Amino acid sequence: QVQLQESGPGLVKPSQTLSLTCTVSGGSISSGDYYWSWIRQPAGKGLEWIGRIYISGGTNYNPSLKSRVTISLDTSKTQFSLKLSSVTAADTAVYYCARVRRRSGEMDVWGQGTTVTVSS
Amino acid sequence: DIQMTQSPSSLSASVGDRVTITCQASQDIRNYLNWYQQKPGKAPKLLIYDASNLETGVPSRFSGSGSGTDFTFTISSLQPEDIATYYCQQYDNLYTFGQGTKLEIK
């Protein structure tokens, strides 16, 4: 079955760029049936959708983060990545990657999450 | 942007109780709504999609209903393993989550 695994630095300095990668195993990242998304969750708070990418390379982002977010896809490595620029302490959170069924928007497979702390 | 408002934000109930959580959208989202369960330290898990369809493998005590702007999530008979935070999520226009409902055992 499909599994997702996030990876990347656990500590990022303020004003720098947060970079995370999600590796997809057990299935194809090239399937046209899915989007690939990033979601985050500050400690003790709710879920915030960050953005999504499709196999075509087309992207959509949360309007509140759009100016700082870039999501990209590397089909050869079965990975997709998140870059969030100009980070502040408010970007400290658990970051999840997820597979999203394109037809109906449900996030049916999630990574385990990775904690990113923004601090000097 | 579509805003999703869940209520209550927290809920205490006894094993065997019927539990209901509501989710209201700021505009008509048809039936484009999903429900998730999140246990502490874990990723969310999809329970209900398209407002009322049970995800494969999810116990039948979980159910969802509604359309338009008002939606309901129900656990027919609360079990100890159902202690978690529950989120609704719209997908009519990109994605937005509700703020969550934390369910505790009384």
Side-chain angles (χ1 to χ4, degrees), chain B residues 2-7 21-27 29 33 35 68-72 88 98-99:
Chain B
I2 299 175
Q3 308 301 317
M4 306 301 294
T5 304
Q6 273 183 246
S7 61
I21 298 169
T22 64
C23 184
Q24 185 170 60
S26 59
Q27 64 189 65
I29 59 169
L33 186 101
W35 289 96
T69 60
D70 295 303
F71 301 85
T72 300
C88 61
Q99 78 274 24

Side-chain angles (χ1 to χ4, degrees), chain A residues 77-120:
Chain A
K77 295 182 179 179
T78 63
Q79 293 177 336
F80 62 106
S81 299
L82 168 70
K83 290 188 186 299
L84 181 65
S85 64
S86 305
V87 297
T88 69
D91 295 310
T92 294
V94 176
Y95 285 76
Y96 295 100
C97 58
R99 187 181 78 171
V100 186
R101 293 175 190 162
R102 183 167 175 242
R103 181 197 69 81
S104 49
E106 61 264 31
M107 300 171 191
D108 65 344
V109 181
W110 294 66
Q112 64 184 28
T114 188
T115 300
V116 178
T117 302
V118 178
S119 175
S120 55

Side-chain angles (χ1 to χ4, degrees), chain B residues 65-101:
Chain B
S65 64
S67 66
T69 60
D70 295 303
F71 301 85
T72 300
F73 172 80
T74 301
I75 306 173
S76 60
S77 178
L78 184 66
Q79 300 302 303
E81 61 267 30
D82 299 337
I83 297 313
T85 300
Y86 293 84
Y87 294 93
C88 61
Q89 173 237 331
Q90 68 81 19
Y91 62 92
D92 183 74
N93 181 9
L94 299 179
Y95 311 128
T96 313
F97 290 93
Q99 78 274 24
T101 296

Side-chain angles (χ1 to χ4, degrees), chain B residues 16-86:
Chain B
D17 282 356
R18 182 181 183 87
V19 171
T20 298
I21 298 169
T22 64
C23 184
Q24 185 170 60
S26 59
Q27 64 189 65
D28 186 347
I29 59 169
R30 295 168 279 187
N31 68 329
Y32 295 171
L33 186 101
N34 304 317
W35 289 96
Y36 299 84
Q37 174 193 66
Q38 186 180 32
K39 296 184 177 181
K42 300 294 186 182
K45 174 187 175 183
L46 176 66
L47 299 180
I48 303 284
Y49 64 94
D50 291 349
S52 60
N53 293 307
L54 197 65
E55 176 70 353
T56 301
V58 174
S60 59
R61 63 180 181 274
F62 296 101
S63 65
S65 64
S67 66
T69 60
D70 295 303
F71 301 85
T72 300
F73 172 80
T74 301
I75 306 173
S76 60
S77 178
L78 184 66
Q79 300 302 303
E81 61 267 30
D82 299 337
I83 297 313
T85 300
Y86 293 84

